[in-house]
Amino acid sequence: MAERVSITGAAGTIGTVLAGALRGRYSVAGADVRPDPAAGIVEADMTDLESAVGVLEGADVVIDLAANADQYASWDEVNRNNFPATINAMEAARRVGARRLIFASSNHAVGNFELDSPYREIVAGDYRGLEPGDCPLVGADVPIRPDGPYGVGKALGEAVGRYYSEVHGLSVICLRIGTVNGEDRPLTVRNLATFLFHADLVQLVQRCIEAPRDLDFGIYYGVSNNTWRFWDLTNAEAEIGYRPSENAERFRADFG
């Protein structure tokens, strides 16, 4: 029988892409504050623990996307919504006996690396004196450098995930997701470095679902194989077999 995969925040852009792609391979259930019965999405408030437990009952794998996805969200919004939603997803996954939780972290957990050269120049599209692949890649083991309250919330989620892995035995995989949009194409020059195409997103999440059961905890970047990407995918390839096939550079002409 196919594993049951429960997606929180299923009505958002990423949730919609994943639910559509994963159905048929897994038994997929969706939950969101915006229910959509036609799409198989039930109502759930992840800031309420009992609600979270109720919608995750029976899940083998939880994909936790529930959050205000605005990178400019205020401290109040992150404290009121994102912090409790993330913590409740972990606790609810533990209570229902899920074997793995895939947490939608964000590149914004380390976003302030973009204050430094050469990343500052790359995201601005200023490549003078630079060659693709020459800059040091930002790995999963770098210090946390959130670029705002939203990034702090994602960094907290990674810490909570490690706690639940080490103390409660829940396998937790954190994905520092790059730029994803409904158009499935880069819209700014920064996106040429940071973009994650839908096809690669789906591959990445499938690799996480099917990763070895003894993978207790991992942090991986969610980015396509872009010519100017500066996040390191070495551990994602070695540990879960993620090999992105798309490259945002094919849209270079759109930016002059």
mmCIF file of all heavy atoms in Angstrom, residues 3 59-64 89-91 93-94 97-103 157-158 160-175 207-220 239-240:
data_model
loop_
_atom_site.group_PDB
_atom_site.id
_atom_site.type_symbol
_atom_site.label_atom_id
_atom_site.label_comp_id
_atom_site.label_asym_id
_atom_site.label_seq_id
_atom_site.Cartn_x
_atom_site.Cartn_y
_atom_site.Cartn_z
ATOM 1 N N GLU A 3 2.479 4.747 0.774
ATOM 2 C CA GLU A 3 2.597 5.506 2.008
ATOM 3 C C GLU A 3 1.637 6.692 1.981
ATOM 4 O O GLU A 3 1.366 7.274 0.936
ATOM 5 C CB GLU A 3 4.021 6.031 2.177
ATOM 6 C CG GLU A 3 5.007 4.978 2.596
ATOM 7 C CD GLU A 3 6.264 5.596 3.168
ATOM 8 O OE1 GLU A 3 6.990 6.246 2.410
ATOM 9 O OE2 GLU A 3 6.503 5.422 4.371
ATOM 10 N N ALA A 59 -0.687 9.664 9.093
ATOM 11 C CA ALA A 59 0.372 10.023 8.148
ATOM 12 C C ALA A 59 1.651 9.233 8.413
ATOM 13 O O ALA A 59 2.060 9.055 9.560
ATOM 14 C CB ALA A 59 0.673 11.507 8.236
ATOM 15 N N ASP A 60 2.267 8.772 7.340
ATOM 16 C CA ASP A 60 3.602 8.182 7.430
ATOM 17 C C ASP A 60 4.669 9.263 7.286
ATOM 18 O O ASP A 60 5.694 9.233 7.970
ATOM 19 C CB ASP A 60 3.796 7.142 6.331
ATOM 20 C CG ASP A 60 2.800 6.001 6.433
ATOM 21 O OD1 ASP A 60 2.762 5.348 7.487
ATOM 22 O OD2 ASP A 60 2.053 5.772 5.466
ATOM 23 N N VAL A 61 4.422 10.188 6.365
ATOM 24 C CA VAL A 61 5.341 11.294 6.104
ATOM 25 C C VAL A 61 4.534 12.582 6.101
ATOM 26 O O VAL A 61 3.466 12.668 5.491
ATOM 27 C CB VAL A 61 6.053 11.121 4.748
ATOM 28 C CG1 VAL A 61 6.929 12.330 4.442
ATOM 29 C CG2 VAL A 61 6.888 9.843 4.736
ATOM 30 N N VAL A 62 5.063 13.598 6.783
ATOM 31 C CA VAL A 62 4.439 14.925 6.815
ATOM 32 C C VAL A 62 5.329 15.888 6.049
ATOM 33 O O VAL A 62 6.543 15.941 6.271
ATOM 34 C CB VAL A 62 4.264 15.428 8.261
ATOM 35 C CG1 VAL A 62 3.716 16.863 8.274
ATOM 36 C CG2 VAL A 62 3.350 14.495 9.045
ATOM 37 N N ILE A 63 4.738 16.631 5.121
ATOM 38 C CA ILE A 63 5.431 17.729 4.442
ATOM 39 C C ILE A 63 4.864 19.012 5.015
ATOM 40 O O ILE A 63 3.710 19.363 4.761
ATOM 41 C CB ILE A 63 5.226 17.670 2.922
ATOM 42 C CG1 ILE A 63 5.720 16.340 2.368
ATOM 43 C CG2 ILE A 63 5.955 18.827 2.243
ATOM 44 C CD1 ILE A 63 5.395 16.126 0.891
ATOM 45 N N ASP A 64 5.659 19.701 5.814
ATOM 46 C CA ASP A 64 5.160 20.861 6.553
ATOM 47 C C ASP A 64 5.476 22.153 5.817
ATOM 48 O O ASP A 64 6.603 22.643 5.841
ATOM 49 C CB ASP A 64 5.762 20.893 7.958
ATOM 50 C CG ASP A 64 5.262 22.080 8.755
ATOM 51 O OD1 ASP A 64 4.096 22.477 8.551
ATOM 52 O OD2 ASP A 64 6.038 22.629 9.563
ATOM 53 N N ALA A 89 3.477 21.203 14.140
ATOM 54 C CA ALA A 89 3.639 20.182 13.107
ATOM 55 C C ALA A 89 4.580 19.084 13.588
ATOM 56 O O ALA A 89 4.319 17.888 13.386
ATOM 57 C CB ALA A 89 4.165 20.804 11.814
ATOM 58 N N MET A 90 5.671 19.475 14.228
ATOM 59 C CA MET A 90 6.634 18.487 14.736
ATOM 60 C C MET A 90 6.001 17.635 15.839
ATOM 61 O O MET A 90 6.105 16.404 15.826
ATOM 62 C CB MET A 90 7.870 19.199 15.283
ATOM 63 C CG MET A 90 8.563 20.131 14.314
ATOM 64 S SD MET A 90 9.759 19.324 13.255
ATOM 65 C CE MET A 90 10.448 20.771 12.415
ATOM 66 N N GLU A 91 5.336 18.307 16.776
ATOM 67 C CA GLU A 91 4.742 17.578 17.898
ATOM 68 C C GLU A 91 3.615 16.671 17.425
ATOM 69 O O GLU A 91 3.489 15.524 17.873
ATOM 70 C CB GLU A 91 4.233 18.554 18.956
ATOM 71 C CG GLU A 91 3.477 17.921 20.111
ATOM 72 C CD GLU A 91 4.295 16.939 20.937
ATOM 73 O OE1 GLU A 91 5.544 16.923 20.832
ATOM 74 O OE2 GLU A 91 3.680 16.161 21.695
ATOM 75 N N ALA A 93 3.288 15.350 14.428
ATOM 76 C CA ALA A 93 3.896 14.221 13.709
ATOM 77 C C ALA A 93 4.389 13.164 14.687
ATOM 78 O O ALA A 93 4.230 11.956 14.446
ATOM 79 C CB ALA A 93 5.032 14.720 12.824
ATOM 80 N N ARG A 94 4.976 13.614 15.775
ATOM 81 C CA ARG A 94 5.430 12.667 16.800
ATOM 82 C C ARG A 94 4.247 11.908 17.391
ATOM 83 O O ARG A 94 4.278 10.676 17.538
ATOM 84 C CB ARG A 94 6.173 13.402 17.912
ATOM 85 C CG ARG A 94 6.689 12.495 19.027
ATOM 86 C CD ARG A 94 7.177 13.273 20.228
ATOM 87 N NE ARG A 94 6.070 13.849 20.989
ATOM 88 C CZ ARG A 94 5.353 13.184 21.908
ATOM 89 N NH1 ARG A 94 5.600 11.897 22.127
ATOM 90 N NH2 ARG A 94 4.398 13.792 22.565
ATOM 91 N N GLY A 97 2.695 9.228 15.189
ATOM 92 C CA GLY A 97 3.592 8.138 14.819
ATOM 93 C C GLY A 97 4.139 8.211 13.411
ATOM 94 O O GLY A 97 4.554 7.186 12.851
ATOM 95 N N ALA A 98 4.165 9.401 12.815
ATOM 96 C CA ALA A 98 4.778 9.549 11.492
ATOM 97 C C ALA A 98 6.258 9.178 11.577
ATOM 98 O O ALA A 98 6.912 9.412 12.596
ATOM 99 C CB ALA A 98 4.611 10.979 10.991
ATOM 100 N N ARG A 99 6.782 8.633 10.517
ATOM 101 C CA ARG A 99 8.188 8.238 10.535
ATOM 102 C C ARG A 99 9.110 9.367 10.121
ATOM 103 O O ARG A 99 10.280 9.387 10.485
ATOM 104 C CB ARG A 99 8.425 7.018 9.648
ATOM 105 C CG ARG A 99 8.261 7.255 8.153
ATOM 106 C CD ARG A 99 8.694 6.054 7.329
ATOM 107 N NE ARG A 99 8.575 6.296 5.899
ATOM 108 C CZ ARG A 99 9.501 6.895 5.162
ATOM 109 N NH1 ARG A 99 10.627 7.311 5.705
ATOM 110 N NH2 ARG A 99 9.312 7.082 3.862
ATOM 111 N N ARG A 100 8.587 10.331 9.341
ATOM 112 C CA ARG A 100 9.448 11.406 8.828
ATOM 113 C C ARG A 100 8.640 12.695 8.660
ATOM 114 O O ARG A 100 7.471 12.666 8.282
ATOM 115 C CB ARG A 100 10.077 10.999 7.503
ATOM 116 C CG ARG A 100 10.874 12.098 6.800
ATOM 117 C CD ARG A 100 11.770 11.503 5.717
ATOM 118 N NE ARG A 100 12.823 10.687 6.319
ATOM 119 C CZ ARG A 100 13.454 9.691 5.711
ATOM 120 N NH1 ARG A 100 13.123 9.370 4.465
ATOM 121 N NH2 ARG A 100 14.410 9.008 6.333
ATOM 122 N N LEU A 101 9.285 13.819 8.922
ATOM 123 C CA LEU A 101 8.717 15.133 8.629
ATOM 124 C C LEU A 101 9.690 15.895 7.749
ATOM 125 O O LEU A 101 10.892 15.975 8.052
ATOM 126 C CB LEU A 101 8.431 15.925 9.908
ATOM 127 C CG LEU A 101 7.767 17.287 9.686
ATOM 128 C CD1 LEU A 101 6.708 17.564 10.748
ATOM 129 C CD2 LEU A 101 8.797 18.419 9.668
ATOM 130 N N ILE A 102 9.172 16.416 6.641
ATOM 131 C CA ILE A 102 9.960 17.236 5.723
ATOM 132 C C ILE A 102 9.539 18.687 5.955
ATOM 133 O O ILE A 102 8.399 19.057 5.680
ATOM 134 C CB ILE A 102 9.717 16.817 4.262
ATOM 135 C CG1 ILE A 102 10.096 15.338 4.078
ATOM 136 C CG2 ILE A 102 10.513 17.697 3.305
ATOM 137 C CD1 ILE A 102 9.602 14.733 2.774
ATOM 138 N N PHE A 103 10.453 19.472 6.476
ATOM 139 C CA PHE A 103 10.156 20.850 6.869
ATOM 140 C C PHE A 103 10.576 21.818 5.781
ATOM 141 O O PHE A 103 11.735 21.806 5.343
ATOM 142 C CB PHE A 103 10.880 21.176 8.174
ATOM 143 C CG PHE A 103 10.813 22.629 8.573
ATOM 144 C CD1 PHE A 103 9.598 23.253 8.762
ATOM 145 C CD2 PHE A 103 11.977 23.361 8.768
ATOM 146 C CE1 PHE A 103 9.540 24.596 9.132
ATOM 147 C CE2 PHE A 103 11.925 24.692 9.133
ATOM 148 C CZ PHE A 103 10.702 25.315 9.315
ATOM 149 N N GLY A 157 12.742 26.539 13.118
ATOM 150 C CA GLY A 157 12.204 25.254 12.692
ATOM 151 C C GLY A 157 13.285 24.200 12.515
ATOM 152 O O GLY A 157 13.084 23.031 12.862
ATOM 153 N N GLU A 158 14.432 24.601 11.985
ATOM 154 C CA GLU A 158 15.530 23.656 11.835
ATOM 155 C C GLU A 158 16.013 23.172 13.200
ATOM 156 O O GLU A 158 16.303 21.979 13.389
ATOM 157 C CB GLU A 158 16.677 24.303 11.057
ATOM 158 C CG GLU A 158 16.332 24.597 9.598
ATOM 159 C CD GLU A 158 17.482 25.217 8.832
ATOM 160 O OE1 GLU A 158 18.586 25.348 9.420
ATOM 161 O OE2 GLU A 158 17.298 25.556 7.640
ATOM 162 N N VAL A 160 14.218 23.099 16.020
ATOM 163 C CA VAL A 160 13.169 22.245 16.578
ATOM 164 C C VAL A 160 13.222 20.866 15.929
ATOM 165 O O VAL A 160 13.076 19.832 16.597
ATOM 166 C CB VAL A 160 11.780 22.891 16.373
ATOM 167 C CG1 VAL A 160 10.668 21.944 16.820
ATOM 168 C CG2 VAL A 160 11.680 24.207 17.146
ATOM 169 N N GLY A 161 13.477 20.841 14.626
ATOM 170 C CA GLY A 161 13.579 19.572 13.929
ATOM 171 C C GLY A 161 14.709 18.707 14.449
ATOM 172 O O GLY A 161 14.559 17.488 14.612
ATOM 173 N N ARG A 162 15.851 19.328 14.709
ATOM 174 C CA ARG A 162 16.967 18.548 15.256
ATOM 175 C C ARG A 162 16.613 18.000 16.637
ATOM 176 O O ARG A 162 16.928 16.845 16.969
ATOM 177 C CB ARG A 162 18.244 19.392 15.324
ATOM 178 C CG ARG A 162 19.456 18.576 15.757
ATOM 179 C CD ARG A 162 20.736 19.386 15.698
ATOM 180 N NE ARG A 162 21.192 19.615 14.348
ATOM 181 C CZ ARG A 162 21.919 18.743 13.639
ATOM 182 N NH1 ARG A 162 22.215 17.550 14.145
ATOM 183 N NH2 ARG A 162 22.333 19.044 12.428
ATOM 184 N N TYR A 163 15.942 18.819 17.440
ATOM 185 C CA TYR A 163 15.512 18.363 18.769
ATOM 186 C C TYR A 163 14.586 17.149 18.644
ATOM 187 O O TYR A 163 14.781 16.129 19.327
ATOM 188 C CB TYR A 163 14.809 19.500 19.505
ATOM 189 C CG TYR A 163 14.033 19.046 20.707
ATOM 190 C CD1 TYR A 163 14.680 18.705 21.902
ATOM 191 C CD2 TYR A 163 12.640 18.925 20.661
ATOM 192 C CE1 TYR A 163 13.965 18.277 23.009
ATOM 193 C CE2 TYR A 163 11.918 18.489 21.751
ATOM 194 C CZ TYR A 163 12.585 18.163 22.922
ATOM 195 O OH TYR A 163 11.876 17.726 24.015
ATOM 196 N N TYR A 164 13.590 17.229 17.772
ATOM 197 C CA TYR A 164 12.643 16.119 17.637
ATOM 198 C C TYR A 164 13.322 14.880 17.064
ATOM 199 O O TYR A 164 12.931 13.752 17.382
ATOM 200 C CB TYR A 164 11.440 16.535 16.785
ATOM 201 C CG TYR A 164 10.330 17.096 17.640
ATOM 202 C CD1 TYR A 164 10.329 18.433 18.006
ATOM 203 C CD2 TYR A 164 9.316 16.276 18.133
ATOM 204 C CE1 TYR A 164 9.336 18.949 18.825
ATOM 205 C CE2 TYR A 164 8.316 16.774 18.950
ATOM 206 C CZ TYR A 164 8.332 18.113 19.291
ATOM 207 O OH TYR A 164 7.349 18.620 20.126
ATOM 208 N N SER A 165 14.327 15.073 16.260
ATOM 209 C CA SER A 165 15.074 13.939 15.741
ATOM 210 C C SER A 165 15.886 13.259 16.831
ATOM 211 O O SER A 165 15.826 12.036 17.003
ATOM 212 C CB SER A 165 15.995 14.410 14.608
ATOM 213 O OG SER A 165 16.869 13.376 14.207
ATOM 214 N N GLU A 166 16.627 14.055 17.576
ATOM 215 C CA GLU A 166 17.556 13.490 18.556
ATOM 216 C C GLU A 166 16.864 12.997 19.819
ATOM 217 O O GLU A 166 17.311 12.017 20.433
ATOM 218 C CB GLU A 166 18.622 14.523 18.909
ATOM 219 C CG GLU A 166 19.529 14.857 17.726
ATOM 220 C CD GLU A 166 20.644 15.819 18.081
ATOM 221 O OE1 GLU A 166 20.616 16.394 19.190
ATOM 222 O OE2 GLU A 166 21.543 15.999 17.235
ATOM 223 N N VAL A 167 15.780 13.650 20.217
ATOM 224 C CA VAL A 167 15.112 13.291 21.477
ATOM 225 C C VAL A 167 13.940 12.346 21.258
ATOM 226 O O VAL A 167 13.713 11.427 22.050
ATOM 227 C CB VAL A 167 14.651 14.567 22.221
ATOM 228 C CG1 VAL A 167 13.839 14.218 23.463
ATOM 229 C CG2 VAL A 167 15.859 15.416 22.601
ATOM 230 N N HIS A 168 13.206 12.539 20.165
ATOM 231 C CA HIS A 168 11.983 11.760 19.956
ATOM 232 C C HIS A 168 12.081 10.750 18.810
ATOM 233 O O HIS A 168 11.126 10.009 18.575
ATOM 234 C CB HIS A 168 10.807 12.704 19.707
ATOM 235 C CG HIS A 168 10.481 13.566 20.886
ATOM 236 N ND1 HIS A 168 10.044 13.050 22.089
ATOM 237 C CD2 HIS A 168 10.549 14.919 21.055
ATOM 238 C CE1 HIS A 168 9.842 14.042 22.947
ATOM 239 N NE2 HIS A 168 10.148 15.176 22.344
ATOM 240 N N GLY A 169 13.194 10.727 18.084
ATOM 241 C CA GLY A 169 13.369 9.722 17.045
ATOM 242 C C GLY A 169 12.596 9.968 15.769
ATOM 243 O O GLY A 169 12.447 9.057 14.949
ATOM 244 N N LEU A 170 12.107 11.191 15.588
ATOM 245 C CA LEU A 170 11.420 11.539 14.351
ATOM 246 C C LEU A 170 12.460 11.914 13.296
ATOM 247 O O LEU A 170 13.299 12.775 13.530
ATOM 248 C CB LEU A 170 10.478 12.726 14.593
ATOM 249 C CG LEU A 170 9.722 13.279 13.389
ATOM 250 C CD1 LEU A 170 8.713 12.259 12.867
ATOM 251 C CD2 LEU A 170 9.025 14.591 13.749
ATOM 252 N N SER A 171 12.420 11.271 12.152
ATOM 253 C CA SER A 171 13.320 11.655 11.066
ATOM 254 C C SER A 171 12.860 13.003 10.522
ATOM 255 O O SER A 171 11.703 13.149 10.113
ATOM 256 C CB SER A 171 13.286 10.600 9.957
ATOM 257 O OG SER A 171 13.999 11.041 8.819
ATOM 258 N N VAL A 172 13.747 13.989 10.529
ATOM 259 C CA VAL A 172 13.396 15.336 10.084
ATOM 260 C C VAL A 172 14.377 15.782 8.997
ATOM 261 O O VAL A 172 15.592 15.732 9.184
ATOM 262 C CB VAL A 172 13.423 16.352 11.241
ATOM 263 C CG1 VAL A 172 13.115 17.758 10.727
ATOM 264 C CG2 VAL A 172 12.415 15.959 12.320
ATOM 265 N N ILE A 173 13.821 16.191 7.869
ATOM 266 C CA ILE A 173 14.618 16.732 6.776
ATOM 267 C C ILE A 173 14.179 18.168 6.539
ATOM 268 O O ILE A 173 12.994 18.439 6.334
ATOM 269 C CB ILE A 173 14.442 15.907 5.486
ATOM 270 C CG1 ILE A 173 14.945 14.475 5.710
ATOM 271 C CG2 ILE A 173 15.179 16.566 4.330
ATOM 272 C CD1 ILE A 173 14.740 13.564 4.501
ATOM 273 N N CYS A 174 15.134 19.084 6.586
ATOM 274 C CA CYS A 174 14.862 20.508 6.414
ATOM 275 C C CYS A 174 15.351 20.938 5.032
ATOM 276 O O CYS A 174 16.509 20.700 4.681
ATOM 277 C CB CYS A 174 15.582 21.333 7.480
ATOM 278 S SG CYS A 174 15.179 20.844 9.183
ATOM 279 N N LEU A 175 14.476 21.556 4.276
ATOM 280 C CA LEU A 175 14.815 22.004 2.929
ATOM 281 C C LEU A 175 14.889 23.523 2.892
ATOM 282 O O LEU A 175 13.875 24.199 3.080
ATOM 283 C CB LEU A 175 13.773 21.510 1.925
ATOM 284 C CG LEU A 175 13.608 19.992 1.826
ATOM 285 C CD1 LEU A 175 12.527 19.648 0.812
ATOM 286 C CD2 LEU A 175 14.924 19.318 1.475
ATOM 287 N N ARG A 207 12.822 12.478 -3.303
ATOM 288 C CA ARG A 207 14.067 11.929 -2.747
ATOM 289 C C ARG A 207 14.030 11.934 -1.217
ATOM 290 O O ARG A 207 14.547 11.013 -0.571
ATOM 291 C CB ARG A 207 15.267 12.726 -3.239
ATOM 292 C CG ARG A 207 15.504 12.682 -4.738
ATOM 293 C CD ARG A 207 15.925 11.317 -5.210
ATOM 294 N NE ARG A 207 16.312 11.342 -6.621
ATOM 295 C CZ ARG A 207 16.639 10.281 -7.325
ATOM 296 N NH1 ARG A 207 16.630 9.083 -6.744
ATOM 297 N NH2 ARG A 207 16.970 10.376 -8.597
ATOM 298 N N CYS A 208 13.429 12.973 -0.646
ATOM 299 C CA CYS A 208 13.330 13.051 0.813
ATOM 300 C C CYS A 208 12.376 11.998 1.363
ATOM 301 O O CYS A 208 12.662 11.354 2.385
ATOM 302 C CB CYS A 208 12.857 14.444 1.237
ATOM 303 S SG CYS A 208 14.052 15.752 0.947
ATOM 304 N N ILE A 209 11.245 11.814 0.703
ATOM 305 C CA ILE A 209 10.287 10.796 1.150
ATOM 306 C C ILE A 209 10.928 9.418 1.126
ATOM 307 O O ILE A 209 10.750 8.610 2.046
ATOM 308 C CB ILE A 209 9.031 10.819 0.259
ATOM 309 C CG1 ILE A 209 8.262 12.131 0.442
ATOM 310 C CG2 ILE A 209 8.120 9.624 0.569
ATOM 311 C CD1 ILE A 209 7.125 12.324 -0.554
ATOM 312 N N GLU A 210 11.689 9.149 0.081
ATOM 313 C CA GLU A 210 12.239 7.819 -0.137
ATOM 314 C C GLU A 210 13.669 7.659 0.375
ATOM 315 O O GLU A 210 14.291 6.612 0.164
ATOM 316 C CB GLU A 210 12.169 7.495 -1.622
ATOM 317 C CG GLU A 210 10.733 7.471 -2.140
ATOM 318 C CD GLU A 210 10.610 7.350 -3.649
ATOM 319 O OE1 GLU A 210 11.655 7.132 -4.311
ATOM 320 O OE2 GLU A 210 9.483 7.477 -4.152
ATOM 321 N N ALA A 211 14.179 8.675 1.050
ATOM 322 C CA ALA A 211 15.538 8.594 1.605
ATOM 323 C C ALA A 211 15.633 7.438 2.593
ATOM 324 O O ALA A 211 14.620 6.995 3.156
ATOM 325 C CB ALA A 211 15.888 9.909 2.296
ATOM 326 N N PRO A 212 16.832 6.924 2.814
ATOM 327 C CA PRO A 212 16.990 5.803 3.743
ATOM 328 C C PRO A 212 16.318 6.068 5.088
ATOM 329 O O PRO A 212 16.354 7.185 5.607
ATOM 330 C CB PRO A 212 18.514 5.704 3.900
ATOM 331 C CG PRO A 212 19.058 6.255 2.622
ATOM 332 C CD PRO A 212 18.116 7.359 2.232
ATOM 333 N N ARG A 213 15.706 5.042 5.626
ATOM 334 C CA ARG A 213 14.973 5.211 6.883
ATOM 335 C C ARG A 213 15.887 5.562 8.043
ATOM 336 O O ARG A 213 15.427 6.071 9.061
ATOM 337 C CB ARG A 213 14.153 3.953 7.190
ATOM 338 C CG ARG A 213 12.941 3.821 6.262
ATOM 339 C CD ARG A 213 12.114 2.583 6.558
ATOM 340 N NE ARG A 213 10.946 2.567 5.676
ATOM 341 C CZ ARG A 213 9.709 2.870 6.063
ATOM 342 N NH1 ARG A 213 9.480 3.216 7.324
ATOM 343 N NH2 ARG A 213 8.706 2.824 5.206
ATOM 344 N N ASP A 214 17.179 5.276 7.919
ATOM 345 C CA ASP A 214 18.097 5.616 9.001
ATOM 346 C C ASP A 214 18.643 7.038 8.877
ATOM 347 O O ASP A 214 19.533 7.434 9.645
ATOM 348 C CB ASP A 214 19.246 4.613 9.094
ATOM 349 C CG ASP A 214 20.106 4.561 7.833
ATOM 350 O OD1 ASP A 214 19.798 5.285 6.857
ATOM 351 O OD2 ASP A 214 21.095 3.792 7.821
ATOM 352 N N LEU A 215 18.107 7.825 7.936
ATOM 353 C CA LEU A 215 18.474 9.241 7.861
ATOM 354 C C LEU A 215 17.690 9.974 8.945
ATOM 355 O O LEU A 215 16.493 10.219 8.818
ATOM 356 C CB LEU A 215 18.146 9.819 6.486
ATOM 357 C CG LEU A 215 18.423 11.320 6.305
ATOM 358 C CD1 LEU A 215 19.899 11.641 6.547
ATOM 359 C CD2 LEU A 215 18.004 11.777 4.911
ATOM 360 N N ASP A 216 18.377 10.304 10.029
ATOM 361 C CA ASP A 216 17.710 10.894 11.181
ATOM 362 C C ASP A 216 17.439 12.384 11.005
ATOM 363 O O ASP A 216 16.387 12.883 11.432
ATOM 364 C CB ASP A 216 18.567 10.694 12.440
ATOM 365 C CG ASP A 216 18.763 9.224 12.767
ATOM 366 O OD1 ASP A 216 17.804 8.444 12.555
ATOM 367 O OD2 ASP A 216 19.862 8.853 13.206
ATOM 368 N N PHE A 217 18.389 13.096 10.399
ATOM 369 C CA PHE A 217 18.261 14.543 10.275
ATOM 370 C C PHE A 217 19.126 15.012 9.119
ATOM 371 O O PHE A 217 20.225 14.505 8.898
ATOM 372 C CB PHE A 217 18.726 15.241 11.563
ATOM 373 C CG PHE A 217 18.574 16.741 11.529
ATOM 374 C CD1 PHE A 217 17.354 17.333 11.795
ATOM 375 C CD2 PHE A 217 19.654 17.556 11.221
ATOM 376 C CE1 PHE A 217 17.204 18.715 11.744
ATOM 377 C CE2 PHE A 217 19.522 18.933 11.176
ATOM 378 C CZ PHE A 217 18.290 19.518 11.438
ATOM 379 N N GLY A 218 18.592 15.970 8.365
ATOM 380 C CA GLY A 218 19.378 16.525 7.273
ATOM 381 C C GLY A 218 18.893 17.912 6.908
ATOM 382 O O GLY A 218 17.721 18.245 7.082
ATOM 383 N N ILE A 219 19.826 18.727 6.420
ATOM 384 C CA ILE A 219 19.505 20.050 5.885
ATOM 385 C C ILE A 219 20.033 20.098 4.458
ATOM 386 O O ILE A 219 21.223 19.852 4.225
ATOM 387 C CB ILE A 219 20.140 21.178 6.710
ATOM 388 C CG1 ILE A 219 19.603 21.171 8.153
ATOM 389 C CG2 ILE A 219 19.888 22.543 6.062
ATOM 390 C CD1 ILE A 219 20.292 22.178 9.061
ATOM 391 N N TYR A 220 19.145 20.402 3.513
ATOM 392 C CA TYR A 220 19.524 20.436 2.105
ATOM 393 C C TYR A 220 18.958 21.686 1.443
ATOM 394 O O TYR A 220 17.876 22.160 1.810
ATOM 395 C CB TYR A 220 18.997 19.195 1.375
ATOM 396 C CG TYR A 220 19.352 17.899 2.055
ATOM 397 C CD1 TYR A 220 18.374 17.115 2.656
ATOM 398 C CD2 TYR A 220 20.676 17.469 2.123
ATOM 399 C CE1 TYR A 220 18.696 15.924 3.299
ATOM 400 C CE2 TYR A 220 21.014 16.290 2.762
ATOM 401 C CZ TYR A 220 20.028 15.519 3.353
ATOM 402 O OH TYR A 220 20.354 14.346 4.007
ATOM 403 N N GLU A 239 23.614 12.160 -0.004
ATOM 404 C CA GLU A 239 22.796 11.542 1.039
ATOM 405 C C GLU A 239 21.405 11.136 0.574
ATOM 406 O O GLU A 239 20.837 10.163 1.080
ATOM 407 C CB GLU A 239 22.706 12.484 2.239
ATOM 408 C CG GLU A 239 24.056 12.702 2.908
ATOM 409 C CD GLU A 239 24.046 13.805 3.954
ATOM 410 O OE1 GLU A 239 22.942 14.194 4.409
ATOM 411 O OE2 GLU A 239 25.136 14.300 4.320
ATOM 412 N N ILE A 240 20.825 11.882 -0.370
ATOM 413 C CA ILE A 240 19.469 11.528 -0.814
ATOM 414 C C ILE A 240 19.364 11.367 -2.334
ATOM 415 O O ILE A 240 18.292 11.062 -2.854
ATOM 416 C CB ILE A 240 18.422 12.542 -0.315
ATOM 417 C CG1 ILE A 240 18.691 13.944 -0.884
ATOM 418 C CG2 ILE A 240 18.380 12.569 1.212
ATOM 419 C CD1 ILE A 240 17.588 14.947 -0.566
#
